[in-house]
Amino acid sequence: MKKILLLFILCLALPSLLAAQDTVQYVDDESCGCELVFVNGIQTTQQGELFGFKREDGSVIVPNKYRFVDKFHGNYCKVYLDYNQCGLIDRNGNEIIPCLYTDVNYPTDGMILVQQDSLYGFFDTTGRQRVPFVYRAASTYSEGTAVVAIDVDSTFVGYGFIDHDGNIVIPPTFEYALPYSEGFAVVKNYDRYGMIDRTGREVFPIKFEILTPVFEGLFFAGDDDGLALYNSKFRQLTKPIYTSLEGKTEDRILVSRNGKFGFLDEKGKEIIPCQYDQAGLFKEGRTYVSINNKWGIIDRQGRTILPIEYDNSGFRSQLYIYHEGLALIEKLGQYGFVDLEGHFLIYPCFDDAYHFADGLAPVHVGLWGYIDTKGDFFIPPTFDIASPFEWGRAEVIYRGEIHKMNTEGKCVKNCKKAPKSWRQ
């Protein structure tokens, strides 16, 4: 359990630790691999095995020259000329970080974590190197500082904190540390965890086997025997009776106790008792729950929205999760959809189905087609395989060929052997 929680903490708060425009037009291709999408007005292009980017008007941002590319994240995109030749471009195609490095992260706090072989340093968003490649490990910046690992001597690698200019603001005296979150940082010494404030002062004793970062004014602390919920004033809100923290959404904290799942509010009150075999995080005020391999849906107060009597054969990870106000459910091997009050908008009548996206859902009746939110077929059963829409595109297999289709039902990728539109 301790290892699982520490991995959760690491993934949540320290994902990076250890670790000339022209007017050429692209008309016959629109992206790389399965990511045939526009993201914030920019689209990936492909020519052979190389990738570039264009705008919605067809003008080229970057010609096809990269071996691998990511999607744009805001104003930036990670690109590779080859393995270990990574860089970062902006929305105009300028290489903010040239493709010379082992890995590059997206900016946080105006700083970019860059890896060169086994060492880490930082650049700012103008492309100027602010911190040299001297650290064995580093985090991205958070609240004005970054965690870095320093060889203190031949036997000890210490973790401390640096500012934007690389100055050490918290000395490297810790066995481990996580970035600041809401003014506090989790640190480790002698295999125990505690918290320090922005000055480096210990404000929560370094004595816990398990400790999560502060998130929305709350955190959990304890050991393998149990976790308690605390607020950011270090007031204990619950007894140390919980065995895991699964996450928090919509003012509800999903926890487990004695192998059962339930929910706390932000004051530590157990709003929904730990009585379910499985449960998920809330979305649109609803979440799925399971007892004895039967599934249903509850609201934030624990009121039953859909009785716990439905099936989940395990083939659809998005079952009982709301998308666009509708949740996909299963009964006796048939799939349908319920609204936010648990009423059947579309009764279970399909052999298979996926969730709604862009107002359409793939459903299977002999072949795959797409229905709208009223349950009417937008595209009749036509495809061997069909995927949900993402960024306005869906991938389908028609007569053995893979194609891309837009939300109007028109083929937009590999269309020579496909009709102009699958709508009838």
Side-chain angles (χ1 to χ4, degrees):
M1 175 56 64
K2 180 164 66 174
K3 290 182 179 179
I4 293 173
L5 277 166
L6 291 179
L7 283 172
F8 166 78
I9 296 169
L10 185 63
C11 292
L12 174 67
L14 193 53
S16 301
L17 192 59
L18 307 175
Q21 179 182 338
D22 58 33
T23 57
V24 176
Q25 301 293 306
Y26 287 74
V27 295
D28 61 347
D29 206 337
E30 63 169 45
S31 190
C32 58
C34 61
E35 303 295 348
L36 305 182
V37 296
F38 275 105
V39 179
N40 297 326
I42 293 179
Q43 190 178 48
T44 309
T45 61
Q46 178 181 1
Q47 187 173 16
E49 296 183 354
L50 298 178
F51 302 100
F53 296 94
K54 68 176 181 180
R55 298 184 179 87
E56 288 182 289
D57 63 6
S59 60
V60 171
I61 299 172
V62 179
N64 297 316
K65 66 177 184 178
Y66 297 113
R67 185 166 182 177
F68 308 105
V69 297
D70 194 6
K71 297 176 184 177
F72 266 85
H73 293 248
N75 293 323
Y76 303 95
C77 183
K78 186 189 294 191
V79 293
Y80 291 79
L81 285 176
D82 208 339
Y83 300 103
N84 294 325
Q85 289 184 289
C86 182
L88 197 72
I89 64 171
D90 65 15
R91 292 177 68 85
N92 292 316
N94 301 312
E95 286 193 359
I96 303 301
I97 307 296
C99 292
L100 300 173
Y101 302 103
T102 305
D103 196 16
V104 174
N105 284 255
Y106 288 101
T108 59
D109 274 10
M111 299 288 282
I112 304 167
L113 173 62
V114 178
Q115 179 183 356
Q116 186 180 52
D117 298 323
S118 60
L119 296 176
Y120 295 84
F122 293 90
F123 290 69
D124 62 25
T125 52
T126 70
R128 180 168 68 95
Q129 187 163 11
R130 298 279 292 275
V131 180
F133 295 105
V134 294
Y135 297 112
R136 291 182 58 180
S139 76
T140 55
Y141 273 83
S142 175
E143 301 183 8
T145 62
V147 180
V148 292
I150 302 170
D151 289 309
V152 177
D153 55 38
S154 60
T155 62
F156 181 66
V157 177
Y159 286 77
F161 296 79
I162 61 172
D163 65 16
H164 282 197
D165 293 316
N167 302 311
I168 295 176
V169 293
I170 306 292
T173 59
F174 302 105
E175 293 177 1
Y176 190 69
L178 295 175
Y180 278 94
S181 176
E182 301 184 22
F184 304 103
V186 173
V187 295
K188 175 185 178 184
N189 268 336
Y190 303 106
D191 288 327
R192 292 293 186 268
Y193 293 87
M195 285 188 191
I196 59 173
D197 65 13
R198 297 300 299 272
T199 69
R201 181 173 64 95
E202 183 179 321
V203 291
F204 194 64
I206 303 176
K207 67 176 186 179
F208 296 93
E209 293 182 18
I210 301 169
L211 181 61
T212 70
V214 177
F215 177 69
E216 295 186 8
L218 299 168
F219 65 94
F220 275 82
D223 54 30
D224 283 339
D225 293 326
L227 303 175
L229 179 67
Y230 293 77
N231 64 21
S232 57
K233 295 181 180 180
F234 308 110
R235 178 188 172 193
Q236 185 173 333
L237 303 179
T238 71
K239 295 180 180 179
I241 57 176
Y242 297 102
T243 50
S244 73
L245 162 68
E246 303 297 323
K248 178 176 181 285
T249 57
E250 301 184 5
D251 300 328
R252 292 292 183 265
I253 306 165
L254 176 57
V255 295
S256 71
R257 178 159 57 95
N258 298 326
K260 300 292 184 178
F261 293 88
F263 294 86
L264 310 180
D265 67 11
E266 293 182 319
K267 295 181 179 180
K269 182 180 179 181
E270 199 167 283
I271 295 294
I272 301 173
C274 292
Q275 60 185 337
Y276 301 109
D277 298 333
Q278 295 188 57
L281 297 176
F282 279 95
K283 184 177 181 180
E284 300 188 41
R286 306 289 187 264
T287 190
Y288 62 81
V289 292
S290 172
I291 297 177
N292 294 329
N293 292 319
K294 292 297 180 180
W295 297 73
I297 297 172
I298 61 172
D299 67 10
R300 294 174 65 253
Q301 285 68 47
R303 182 172 65 97
T304 298
I305 300 299
L306 183 72
I308 305 173
E309 60 186 40
Y310 291 86
D311 303 319
N312 187 335
S313 59
F315 295 112
R316 292 285 168 262
S317 63
Q318 297 296 311
L319 281 171
Y320 306 96
I321 298 175
Y322 280 91
H323 296 265
E324 302 181 355
L326 294 171
L328 174 65
I329 66 94
E330 179 186 351
K331 185 73 170 180
L332 300 176
Q334 297 290 292
Y335 294 82
F337 295 86
V338 296
D339 65 16
L340 288 169
E341 293 305 317
H343 301 141
F344 276 101
L345 185 68
I346 302 166
Y347 279 89
C349 61
F350 302 110
D351 301 328
D352 206 345
Y354 286 96
H355 60 272
F356 273 91
D358 292 325
L360 299 170
V363 296
H364 186 266
V365 185
L367 293 171
W368 286 88
Y370 288 83
I371 58 171
D372 61 24
T373 54
K374 295 180 179 179
D376 298 325
F377 270 105
F378 179 78
I379 298 174
T382 303
F383 308 109
D384 303 318
I385 297 176
S387 76
F389 279 89
E390 183 182 14
W391 300 100
R393 297 290 187 269
E395 191 167 66
V396 298
I397 296 181
Y398 176 71
R399 296 181 179 177
E401 296 283 336
I402 300 175
H403 309 274
K404 282 285 180 176
M405 178 179 66
N406 66 17
T407 54
E408 297 177 355
K410 295 180 180 179
C411 179
V412 293
K413 174 70 176 178
N414 191 28
C415 299
K416 291 181 180 179
K417 296 182 180 179
K420 293 182 179 179
S421 174
W422 280 289
R423 292 201 62 189
Q424 295 182 1

